[in-house]
């Protein structure tokens, strides 16, 4: 089955490479971290294009300590809280870019 083509207009967080981590919960956390730091970079740079053009997965990996909430290696962060934070950050960026 063929994968659907992504629209050139879409600006969604890219899929995490499977080799970055084998545990889906952690991969989802990295994706939310990428969303947050991408928005932070875009706001700092006053950039209203696709914020994911400014960051890559290495940035998310390097930022994990900032978002870690537990020493448990299988649950190092709260993905639901990260998702809420990323959604709020993206809303802030959209508002800033529409002004």
């Amino acid at each position: 089955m063929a994968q659907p083509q992504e629209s050139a207009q879409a600006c969604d967080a890219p899929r995490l490479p499977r080799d970055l981590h084998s545990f889906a919960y952690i991969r989802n956390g990295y994706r939310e971290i990428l969303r947050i730091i991408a928005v932070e970079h875009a706001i700092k740079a006053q950039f209203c294009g696709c914020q994911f053009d400014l960051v890559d997965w290495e940035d998310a990996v390097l930022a994990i300590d900032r978002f870690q909430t537990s020493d448990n290696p299988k649950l190092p962060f709260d993905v639901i809280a990260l998702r809420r934070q990323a959604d709020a950050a993206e809303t802030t960026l959209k508002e800033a870019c529409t002004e």
Side-chain angles (χ1 to χ4, degrees):
M1 179 180 229
Q3 291 290 326
Q5 293 290 330
E6 290 188 24
S7 166
Q9 304 287 13
C11 181
D12 296 326
R15 288 184 185 206
L16 183 81
R18 275 204 177 274
D19 61 345
L20 193 56
H21 204 283
S22 61
F23 194 39
Y25 184 86
I26 298 199
R27 286 196 311 268
N28 291 337
Y30 277 124
R31 186 172 190 270
E32 300 308 324
I33 291 170
L34 183 75
R35 290 176 60 208
I36 294 165
I37 62 174
V39 168
E40 290 172 351
H41 281 69
I43 290 172
K44 185 176 180 180
Q46 296 180 346
F47 179 74
C48 289
C50 183
Q51 67 269 22
F52 300 109
D53 294 342
L54 303 175
V55 295
D56 61 24
W57 287 112
E58 186 175 334
D59 296 318
V61 171
L62 293 173
I64 192 171
D65 289 340
R66 207 175 109 198
F67 298 97
Q68 188 169 352
T69 58
S70 168
D71 290 333
N72 183 340
K74 293 212 178 225
L75 302 169
F77 33 71
D78 182 348
V79 173
I80 294 170
L82 287 173
R83 184 167 294 131
R84 285 187 202 125
Q85 185 178 349
D87 290 344
E90 286 179 346
T91 298
T92 300
L93 179 62
K94 286 177 187 174
E95 290 172 354
C97 287
T98 57
E99 292 178 356

